[in-house]
Amino acid sequence: MHVNLLGYHEVFINGKKVNEDVLSPAVSQFDKRSLIVTYDVTPLLKTVNNDLIIWLGSGWYTEGLPGVVANGPVVRAQMEHVHEGTKEVVVYSDPSWVGRESEYSRISDWMTGRYGGETITGNLETRNRIFETPDELKWDNILTVEIPEHQVTPQTVEQNRIRETIHAVKIEKLNDGTFLVDMGKCLTGWFEITFPDLEKSQEVVMEYANHLDNNGELARQGQTDKYIASGNGTEYFINKFNYHGFRYVKISNLKEVPQLTDIKAHLIHTDFEFASTFECSDEDLNRIHDMIAYTLRCVGLGGYLVDCPQIERLGYGGDGNASTVTAQTMFHLAPLYNNWLQAWEDVIREDGSMPHTAPNPYAAGGGPYWCGFIISASWNTYQHYGDRKVLEKYYPVMQKWLGYVDQYSVDGLLKRWPDTDYRNWYLGDWATPEGVGNPVNTDERSVDLVNNCYISVCLSQMENIAGVLGKTEEARYYSEKRAQLNNIIHETFFDAQQGYYATGSQIDLIFPMLAGVAPEELKIGLTNTLIERTTKEYGGHLNTGLVGIPVMMEWAAINNQPDFIYSMLKKKTHPGYLYMLEQGANTTWEHWAGDRSRIHNCFNGVGQWFYQAIGGIRSIPGKPAYSEFLVDPQIPEGVTWAKTIQETPYGKIGVHWELHNETMTMEVEVPVGSIAKLISPQSAISTRINQEVITDQSDTISLKSGKYFIEYSSK
């Protein structure tokens, strides 16, 4: 059975749901594309007299958004009998179908800060009549609407599913009739409660937030559900076509305290699986790693990564760029990124302009780092999964956007482009900490430096992409264009007297080194300045935001700076990841101080460092899918062992190292078809691999597929 829907749906045959999917289909840009979800319904069909029910909800198909012409969800469906290579259409949607209003209705208009929730009227028994005795209910004629022409394609990303059920840990009585439920941790998904006895028409209100404010009150985040009681039967609430990002639930107009055992929440995300594990001797690092991984699960609903599930729910390119390497390392996300990149192709404008989010329902803030997602995410997806078709498909889109960049370049440097009705702001870094060296991420010098360094990175990625696609002349063009840009960046922003670029913030020092702007002879001095300023002016803390975190982590792994990163991650005061954890967080925040959102895809780019540096598994540019990779653990003082596993298209990579006085042991597993490039520690005097003394004095040793036990000795 094929279902093409604008909105959300669930399908039932003979009273039974066809599968465990929820909030289906995945997101798309409705004025450009809608998705088809296909089900095998064979096991649910009877020989005769089958009841087919498609339950609909509006979701993103909301009045006023691009491509929306109807006041409610719209569906097309077709059931086919497939047998021995033949297909026969059994039933399809037409004006003869009938419909009815369900006991669910939506609250609010599905806009930023106003995602509302759902109202349910009636007890569970009433709601179940549609499955048990549908012929006894009143059904009405349906409306047929004309939808603007657009692409209709099969959904190629996993569906959303309930991945974990969480039980309430505490109920606090605030006053007569009002209770505060604590689920014990933040999550994205549904709330479920069986109420104590209620009076007929009693309206119970549930408000949600991911944190309490400084006064201990529920933060206002525009998330509300209602339940209107029957006065008999099982008074039961569970979401269906909306969801929340929350930890706390304030329940009002309830005369009797509910039982803890009657309250649950359900973590929902796209049905991707873990691709890696990390554990080391430092429990603080393990806690940070686990918080990052869990946060990515909380923002991975709908076939893309949102900024946050409760306030905006938008697929920001900046947040995506900042977390892509981490997310693709931690999880199997090839289908999700294919779906998301398709949305980016769908939202580019005729002049090559990009919005800051995809899908792009309305204007949102960002900058070039947000728009360039189409280049960086495509390249990183190829690097992780080896899918050349991604590069082939989106290469013209990348070129089109870079043409737009050229339109707004002055004397070789990209400058601010105009706001539009689909995009606003012009950011460099974003969400930098307040009160720590006072980085001014809005300073024009820093904005222009960061954005042009990012364009340099994009040109480097385009050179690589053109090379993979066999476009030799275009690869040379992007290489030369990048070299010219880097010279202009250096000449414009480097202050020889001060010894740093632009404002001298962490990102202003690091990004020119990572992007290849800084001449080789300046890098030692820039690194020393970075470490000195971090220690003396920032109190050893992070001084950067969304863009700066992944830039810093990539630079540190390439340049073997584990102690620099480790010292900042170990800080338990603001700003830092341990500060979040010390405040009770289990998901990362939008701002270092905890403002606004506390389930957010802003600072998750740190996750890549655990695998690349401490774990020691690093991909090699141009060697996709870990066909070749580096094994190079970078060990900060204070960490004595680490176990890292990463699943790749070739199979499992495993690195488990331990320090023992003057020796280091390491177990390495290389999958079939891959080659590991083993980099020996500088302190190693002798090396044994599988008990054999290695006389090769080169810095790098190649390991083919297999399992290895390696011993390094420093004496």
Side-chain angles (χ1 to χ4, degrees), residues 324-344:
T324 287
V325 175
T326 293
Q328 292 186 342
T329 299
M330 289 182 166
F331 301 99
H332 293 291
L333 294 182
L336 185 146
Y337 271 80
N338 274 282
N339 183 72
W340 198 6
L341 286 165
Q342 179 64 72
W344 283 94

Side-chain angles (χ1 to χ4, degrees), residues 197-423:
D197 291 343
L198 302 174
E199 298 175 2
K200 183 176 176 58
S201 300
Q202 181 177 341
E203 183 176 291
V204 181
V205 178
M206 292 152 282
E207 300 168 85
Y208 304 81
N210 56 35
H211 68 280
L212 306 178
D213 64 21
N214 293 333
N215 298 317
E217 301 287 335
L218 192 77
R220 295 184 177 274
Q221 296 185 324
Q223 304 181 91
T224 303
D225 288 322
K226 296 179 181 179
Y227 179 79
I228 301 175
S230 295
N232 56 57
T234 305
E235 307 279 22
Y236 171 79
F237 177 93
I238 187 170
N239 293 107
K240 182 172 288 290
F241 294 130
N242 206 331
Y243 59 93
H244 305 292
F246 67 104
R247 172 175 174 173
Y248 298 97
V249 187
K250 180 181 176 182
I251 306 178
S252 304
N253 198 30
L254 191 61
K255 298 178 181 179
E256 182 182 341
V257 60
Q259 297 294 313
L260 267 179
T261 53
D262 289 335
I263 301 175
K264 301 175 185 176
H266 303 284
L267 172 68
I268 296 172
H269 61 72
T270 301
D271 200 24
F272 50 77
E273 299 291 343
F274 278 95
S276 62
T277 60
F278 171 88
E279 184 182 13
C280 73
S281 62
D282 189 309
E283 190 55 34
D284 286 340
L285 295 187
N286 294 335
R287 292 170 66 207
I288 295 171
H289 169 274
D290 292 350
M291 177 171 65
I292 300 298
Y294 182 72
T295 302
L296 290 170
R297 296 175 70 197
C298 287
V299 299
L301 188 156
Y304 65 157
L305 300 181
V306 297
D307 62 325
C308 60
Q310 74 286 36
I311 299 174
E312 294 191 67
R313 294 186 184 174
L314 297 176
Y316 278 96
D319 304 54
N321 260 342
S323 62
T324 287
V325 175
T326 293
Q328 292 186 342
T329 299
M330 289 182 166
F331 301 99
H332 293 291
L333 294 182
L336 185 146
Y337 271 80
N338 274 282
N339 183 72
W340 198 6
L341 286 165
Q342 179 64 72
W344 283 94
E345 181 187 38
D346 288 343
V347 299
I348 193 168
R349 270 45 180 190
E350 286 300 317
D351 64 352
S353 175
M354 275 284 193
H356 295 141
T357 68
N360 177 222
Y362 37 75
Y369 187 76
W370 282 247
C371 305
F373 181 88
I374 189 66
I375 296 176
S376 299
S378 296
W379 174 247
N380 284 315
T381 299
Y382 171 73
Q383 276 289 104
H384 274 89
Y385 305 115
D387 186 356
R388 190 175 184 272
K389 291 181 180 178
V390 169
L391 304 183
E392 293 173 347
K393 182 174 183 179
Y394 299 116
Y395 185 69
V397 186
M398 304 174 202
Q399 292 180 302
K400 190 174 182 178
W401 178 67
L402 286 177
Y404 182 82
V405 169
D406 287 341
Q407 293 178 44
Y408 290 95
S409 295
V410 180
D411 296 328
L413 290 175
L414 175 62
K415 301 293 288 185
R416 196 192 200 287
W417 50 45
D419 290 344
T420 68
D421 60 356
Y422 55 85
R423 181 193 68 210

